[in-house]
Amino acid sequence: MADDKKKTFITKLHDMIEGGPEDIIKWTKDGKAFTIYNVDECAKKILPKYFKHTKFTSFVRNLNLYNFKKVTDQDEDKSSQAWTFAHSEFRKGLDKEQLGQFKRKLQQVPANITELAGRLVEMEEKIIVMQESYQMLWDEFVENRRVQSQHHELLLKLTRALTDAPTLEEPSPRKKRRSH
């Protein structure tokens, strides 16, 4: 068991595929991928034998960390629970030395921290300019609303004045007198 602690995820994965019950997990016909036919059974019965957990999602996360990709089923059995995973370098029959060559994906670390600090300062300056522009636009908006409100009030007063004003009636036409 002391040797198990030194095994990498990849070595444990390879051992798991080699030793797992074929109705749950096995290599594809070409040996370039493996299929898990029953996720629930794999999580309950197989994962605990090789890893410190029974969570299939954790297992898949580890596969992703090593650049494994989920692919469509390559075997004839198209079970709805079947998941097939492949990696360009991972295949049936690799020896311990070859399995030891697999490395986890590393998050890319910026090469130049000074460059990033400069970018940060530039972005902060742009944010300040944007905040000033926003404030100017907001002030202009508020002023336009004030003017609009004044115009609205003026139109209401004019409308009231026109409706309250006495109307001038046209003089009725006078009858012309005829001279006899």
Side-chain angles (χ1 to χ4, degrees):
M1 273 293 186
D3 196 33
D4 276 354
K5 292 189 182 224
K6 293 181 182 178
K7 286 186 177 181
T8 65
F9 172 80
I10 295 296
T11 304
K12 291 177 185 180
L13 172 63
H14 198 273
D15 291 349
M16 184 176 84
I17 300 165
E18 292 288 328
E22 289 193 354
D23 61 324
I24 298 175
I25 185 170
K26 72 176 182 179
W27 291 103
T28 55
K29 288 178 183 174
D30 62 5
K32 293 181 180 179
F34 66 95
T35 302
I36 298 171
Y37 293 97
N38 188 321
V39 170
D40 295 333
E41 289 297 306
C42 180
K44 284 182 214 168
K45 294 180 180 176
I46 299 176
L47 290 182
K49 290 180 183 177
Y50 296 90
F51 305 102
K52 295 177 184 176
H53 60 80
T54 60
K55 294 181 181 170
F56 189 74
T57 53
S58 296
F59 174 70
V60 171
R61 190 176 309 115
N62 272 309
L63 289 172
N64 290 332
L65 286 173
Y66 283 91
N67 285 322
F68 280 81
K69 304 293 181 213
K70 184 174 186 244
V71 295
T72 56
D73 277 344
Q74 296 177 354
D75 285 353
E76 292 115 30
D77 181 8
K78 301 283 186 192
S79 169
S80 63
Q81 277 239 354
W83 289 44
T84 301
F85 295 94
H87 183 288
S88 59
E89 305 296 321
F90 188 78
R91 62 191 175 282
K92 186 175 184 175
L94 293 176
D95 61 34
K96 287 182 181 181
E97 186 179 324
Q98 291 169 315
L99 292 171
Q101 300 300 314
F102 285 81
K103 302 293 179 207
R104 289 174 72 162
K105 286 192 280 189
L106 296 177
Q107 292 185 356
Q108 293 180 344
V109 178
N112 191 342
I113 300 297
T114 310
E115 179 185 339
L116 286 177
R119 283 181 171 172
L120 181 62
V121 169
E122 288 174 18
M123 290 173 72
E124 287 171 339
E125 290 170 354
K126 287 179 181 179
I127 289 171
I128 290 169
V129 169
M130 289 172 66
Q131 287 172 329
E132 290 170 353
S133 296
Y134 173 80
Q135 189 61 50
M136 284 177 30
L137 287 171
W138 181 255
D139 292 345
E140 190 175 323
F141 171 76
V142 169
E143 177 61 19
N144 286 338
R145 288 290 298 205
R146 189 187 64 74
V147 170
Q148 179 190 20
S149 181
Q150 288 176 345
H151 288 163
H152 181 71
E153 287 296 318
L154 182 61
L155 285 173
L156 286 175
K157 287 178 183 176
L158 285 172
T159 303
R160 270 189 244 122
L162 288 174
T163 53
D164 293 345
T167 57
L168 298 175
E169 293 184 19
E170 289 184 28
S172 55
R174 293 187 184 186
K175 293 182 181 177
K176 287 187 183 178
R177 288 190 198 172
R178 290 188 185 180
S179 44
H180 286 290

